[in-house]
Amino acid sequence: MIEFQGVSKSYWTGMQRKVILDRASFRIELGNSLGILAANGTGKTTIINMMAGLEKPDEGTIVKTSRVSFPLGFMGGVIGKHSALENSRYIARLYGLDPDYVESFCRWVCGLGEYFEMPLSTYSSGMRSRFSFALLLALEFDIYLIDEGMPGTADVEFNRKAGNILRERLENATVVIVSHSAQTLQKFCRSAAVLKNGRFYQFDTLEEAKRLYDYEA
């Protein structure tokens, strides 16, 4: 479970204060994957980072009682001068997992070939995204966080393989995904919310959220 209790978050842009959340209170229960519809520039990445604990609220409390993943695409836990092989084994030890398993899993999912043993600093953005997603899937979480705004990959085979694994994970896990597209959310979520002008509107169905989102657009 993730619960926001009276949470506020804003930034000073240099000209005005940008409000991301204004005293928002909501809960995400296990077993009820949630899609968040939000236009570009309204704080999609910020709200996901707050759920992961990467950013703190200005006011209010965020309570987590489940294992929550880092956001898909987040590379803060890996070291650029080390290879995917070295990073995967390092992250495995941090989470108390078998390094051999995590390395083998990531190597298979990524399909990077010889690049798996080269420094991440030599990777393209797509290759880094493939490794990040593979690492996310190698670890066991109750709630997976996905920010559609994170860099993606055009590799069709990787997308097919990773997508199938994620769907298997979601049979026993929950996903929170933020996107500006309802079509993206309907692949994984039934319930949805709309983030608009610092307000968080939560609905039982994606169709209800779409009506508000389309009306406000």
Side-chain angles (χ1 to χ4, degrees), residues 47-82:
I47 195 170
I48 282 288
N49 284 346
M50 292 171 71
M51 291 180 185
L54 300 174
E55 295 192 42
K56 302 298 182 185
D58 299 332
E59 297 178 357
T61 304
I62 301 175
V63 178
K64 295 186 289 187
T65 60
S66 306
R67 297 172 298 172
V68 180
S69 79
F70 48 86
L72 171 61
F74 176 69
M75 299 295 288
V78 298
I79 303 172
K81 67 179 181 180
H82 291 168

Side-chain angles (χ1 to χ4, degrees), residues 38-49:
N40 292 329
T42 56
K44 295 194 300 295
T45 296
T46 299
I47 195 170
I48 282 288
N49 284 346

Side-chain angles (χ1 to χ4, degrees), residues 97-132:
L97 300 174
D98 179 4
D100 291 339
Y101 164 76
V102 174
E103 176 198 335
S104 298
F105 181 92
C106 290
R107 188 186 292 271
W108 171 69
V109 174
C110 286
L112 294 175
E114 62 185 12
Y115 284 98
F116 197 80
E117 298 178 14
M118 296 176 64
L120 296 188
S121 58
T122 65
Y123 287 12
S124 66
S125 61
M127 292 166 65
R128 290 173 67 90
S129 293
R130 284 159 65 180
F131 176 63
S132 174

Side-chain angles (χ1 to χ4, degrees), residues 128-141:
R128 290 173 67 90
S129 293
R130 284 159 65 180
F131 176 63
S132 174
F133 200 170
L135 194 56
L136 177 78
L137 294 175
L139 308 175
E140 293 287 340
F141 296 104

